[in-house]
Amino acid sequence: MSDFTHFNEQGRAKMVDVSAKPETIRTAIAESSIELNAQVYEHISENKIKKGDVLAVAQIAGIMAAKKTWDIIPMCHPIPLNGINIEFTWKKNEDQFVLCIRTTVKTKGSTGVEMEALTASSIAALTVYDMCKAVDKGMVIGPTYLVEKTGGVSSKDFKREA
């Protein structure tokens, strides 16, 4: 067949059985970003977006998304999340501003939390777009990527090289 674990003997999709795997502490860090113009940056910084505090809403949206990842990504397991943290930093890139979104997710379980961290960062970026699109629809989201993951019994930790 294939090296992919999400296919059954008939080559059809399946959710991997993790019931025999021991619980370990697992973490994942993911990042996304959204590039926006000076006007949007000023509106966010000065809390002038009519829909509310953009970063506060994006942070809550990202946390909620991490908790619901199993609901929207078909092969993800519903797992208890022990911690979710989303941090925002600004960078200036010529005449554009970039909002960097870094999410850390932690669990004690039998499967990893990479998808939860990636989903949280993505949804936080999408929420910023949604809240600011009345000011500028030209914002660009991404890249979105896994920075690091730890835990599990296979000792296959991952850390993206800079």
Side-chain angles (χ1 to χ4, degrees):
M1 190 84 238
S2 138
D3 291 336
F4 291 108
T5 58
H6 288 75
F7 293 108
N8 66 17
E9 295 78 24
Q10 297 173 331
R12 314 246 339 140
K14 74 170 185 174
M15 186 169 161
V16 174
D17 180 1
V18 296
S19 60
K21 293 171 72 176
E23 288 190 349
T24 63
I25 294 173
R26 297 161 184 264
T27 60
I29 301 170
E31 289 186 1
S32 190
S33 61
I34 183 164
E35 187 176 296
L36 37 89
N37 66 29
Q39 183 183 17
V40 176
Y41 169 77
E42 288 170 15
H43 276 64
I44 293 172
S45 298
E46 297 170 12
N47 205 17
K48 291 182 179 177
I49 297 292
K50 292 181 181 178
K51 290 185 176 184
D53 182 336
V54 173
L55 299 186
V57 174
Q59 190 160 22
I60 297 302
I63 290 168
M64 291 173 64
K67 292 165 50 175
K68 298 296 259 173
T69 299
W70 66 275
D71 248 349
I72 57 176
I73 307 290
M75 301 305 165
C76 285
H77 295 83
I79 55 177
L81 302 180
N82 299 104
I84 305 166
N85 186 37
I86 299 176
E87 298 173 311
F88 301 102
T89 56
W90 288 102
K91 293 180 184 173
K92 186 151 177 17
N93 183 9
E94 297 177 17
D95 60 338
Q96 297 287 312
F97 288 84
V98 178
L99 177 62
C100 300
I101 303 162
R102 184 179 183 98
T103 302
T104 304
V105 178
K106 189 172 187 179
T107 192
K108 183 176 182 184
S110 54
T111 190
V113 287
E114 300 97 280
M115 293 308 301
E116 287 74 8
L118 288 161
T119 300
S121 290
S122 299
I123 294 299
L126 286 167
T127 301
V128 171
Y129 186 97
D130 177 56
M131 293 189 71
C132 300
K133 67 186 179 215
V135 179
D136 178 34
K137 291 178 178 45
M139 295 172 281
V140 177
I141 294 173
T144 302
Y145 53 90
L146 182 67
V147 175
E148 182 178 329
K149 83 133 205 102
T150 62
V153 293
S154 65
S155 299
K156 290 184 182 177
D157 290 351
F158 170 84
K159 185 163 184 143
R160 181 173 299 279
E161 295 186 23

